[in-house]
């Protein structure tokens, strides 16, 4: 009897949670295909005619393909270098956590998770501008650094559960420290690497604040940044804006649909280990 009550409660919560996610997505899709005249009617109604005119205008207004290229460039390189560098740093700390210096590094990185971005925003802008890093390359470097604190936290917990005997056996076979990491540890981190890669790609693709304060050249604008063009002083063109929003979020929705099994796999294996 208790099991049925618990099951119904969980099912109800899942349905409510799904509606909270799907309803805004439904509004985004329907408004993107509506005309301004239809917006004055029933907001929840489907469009009378599914026209792509809003998408064509949004592409022209935002220089969509250039912004898409910038976002793709930033996201791809951030994901690659985040996985490579963050896993390497985490391995070095995890295997030397008994030493004071590495323990200090571990807590130093963790403490960065509790520093709000607005506190460091102004000095960061001044520093990156002085160093000539107010461009896409500088944006990539900052994302890699900012991701380090959280990724070190989740990587170290996973690495410490990997038996040290595997590394000792590789060393006995003549492997160097670099060889042990790349040939033994890194392949075993595949589920966690996939999880970190997906979370990092979502964060880099959807971020608005850092590109806003860092990038001064409009040609370097990323997709979230060009959405700002639809915000007028007194009004917002919701049809064009939602069409542009839909095009901007579609790639990440597709990525998540195909990669969600890797996230679940990484979380499950991490919890079991």
């Amino acid at each position: 009897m208790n099991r049925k009550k618990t099951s119904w409660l969980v099912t109800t919560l899942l349905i409510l949670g799904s509606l909270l996610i799907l309803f805004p997505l439904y509004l985004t899709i329907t408004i993107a295909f509506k005309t301004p005249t239809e917006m004055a009617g029933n907001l929840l109604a489907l469009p009378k005619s599914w026209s792509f005119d809003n998408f064509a205008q949004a592409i022209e207004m935002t220089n969509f393909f250039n912004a898409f290229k910038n976002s793709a460039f930033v996201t791809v390189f951030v994901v690659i270098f985040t996985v490579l560098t963050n896993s390497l740093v985490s391995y070095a700390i995890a295997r030397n956590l008994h030493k004071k210096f590495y323990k200090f590094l571990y807590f130093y990185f963790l403490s960065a998770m509790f520093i709000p971005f607005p506190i460091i925003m102004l000095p960061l802008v001044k520093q990156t501008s002085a160093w000539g890093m107010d461009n896409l390359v500088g944006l990539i470097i900052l994302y890699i650094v900012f991701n380090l604190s959280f990724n070190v936290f989740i990587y170290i917990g996973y690495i410490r559960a990997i038996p040290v005997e595997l590394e000792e056996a590789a060393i006995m076979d003549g492997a160097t420290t670099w060889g042990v990491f790349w040939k033994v540890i890194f392949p075993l981190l595949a589920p966690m690497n996939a999880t970190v890669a997906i979370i990092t790609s979502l964060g880099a693709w959807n971020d608005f604040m850092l590109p806003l304060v860092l990038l001064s050249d409009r040609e370097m604008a990323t997709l979230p940044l060009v959405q700002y063009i639809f915000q007028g002083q007194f009004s917002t063109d919701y049809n064009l804006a939602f069409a542009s929003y839909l095009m901007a979020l579609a790639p990440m929705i597709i990525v998540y649909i195909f990669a969600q099994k890797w996230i679940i796999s990484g979380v499950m294996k991490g919890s079991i280990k």
Side-chain angles (χ1 to χ4, degrees), residues 26-273:
Y26 168 80
L27 286 180
T28 302
I29 295 173
T30 54
I31 293 175
F33 284 95
K34 286 182 178 180
T35 63
T37 305
E38 290 177 301
M39 284 288 293
N42 185 1
L43 184 64
L44 301 179
L46 291 172
K48 294 179 181 178
S49 60
W50 296 76
S51 174
F52 287 89
D53 292 341
N54 292 332
F55 293 89
Q57 293 182 50
I59 289 173
E60 184 178 354
M61 290 179 65
T62 60
N63 195 5
F64 177 82
F65 293 109
N66 180 67
F68 180 88
K69 178 192 68 176
N70 293 336
S71 287
F73 173 78
V74 170
T75 302
V76 168
F77 280 97
V78 167
V79 169
I80 292 174
F81 286 106
T82 294
V83 170
L84 294 178
T85 59
N86 289 196
S87 60
L88 189 59
V89 171
S90 301
Y91 173 67
I93 296 175
R95 287 299 184 245
N96 296 280
L97 203 53
H98 58 283
K99 299 178 182 179
K100 290 183 179 180
F101 175 71
Y102 289 94
K103 184 172 289 187
F104 167 78
L105 279 181
Y106 176 63
F107 287 109
Y108 174 76
F109 285 131
L110 291 189
S111 65
M113 296 172 60
F114 303 97
I115 301 176
F117 178 73
I119 293 179
I120 62 173
M121 183 171 64
L122 182 58
L124 181 68
V125 172
K126 294 177 70 67
Q127 184 176 348
T128 52
S129 178
W131 290 357
M133 292 177 58
D134 50 347
N135 49 46
L136 295 180
V137 175
L139 189 63
I140 291 171
I141 294 173
L142 289 178
Y143 278 138
I144 296 171
V145 174
F146 288 160
N147 288 330
L148 191 59
S149 57
F150 176 74
N151 291 340
V152 162
F153 175 70
I154 62 175
Y155 265 128
I156 287 180
Y158 192 88
I159 292 173
R160 295 190 69 187
I162 298 176
V164 183
E165 288 77 12
L166 294 175
E167 301 167 50
E168 293 174 347
I171 292 172
M172 291 291 292
D173 290 338
T176 62
T177 303
W178 284 95
V180 169
F181 176 76
W182 293 116
K183 295 180 180 179
V184 178
I185 300 299
F186 194 75
L188 293 176
L189 292 177
M192 195 56 62
N193 286 336
T195 303
V196 168
I198 294 165
I199 295 174
T200 300
S201 64
L202 291 173
W205 185 273
N206 295 324
D207 186 42
F208 172 78
M209 185 58 70
L210 189 56
L212 176 65
V213 300
L214 186 69
L215 302 176
S216 55
D217 188 350
R218 187 173 179 179
E219 289 298 314
M220 295 183 183
T222 57
L223 276 176
L225 199 55
V226 297
Q227 310 308 319
Y228 205 61
I229 194 174
F230 299 106
Q231 306 298 320
Q233 183 177 0
F234 301 106
S235 63
T236 300
D237 193 331
Y238 289 104
N239 301 102
L240 295 182
F242 277 62
S244 184
Y245 298 161
L246 190 60
M247 290 189 293
L249 64 87
M252 285 298 103
I253 290 179
I254 295 173
V255 168
Y256 186 81
I257 289 174
F258 286 99
Q260 60 179 327
K261 64 179 182 179
W262 291 100
I263 296 179
I264 297 173
S265 173
V267 172
M268 291 299 294
K269 288 187 177 182
S271 62
I272 292 173
K273 292 178 79 67

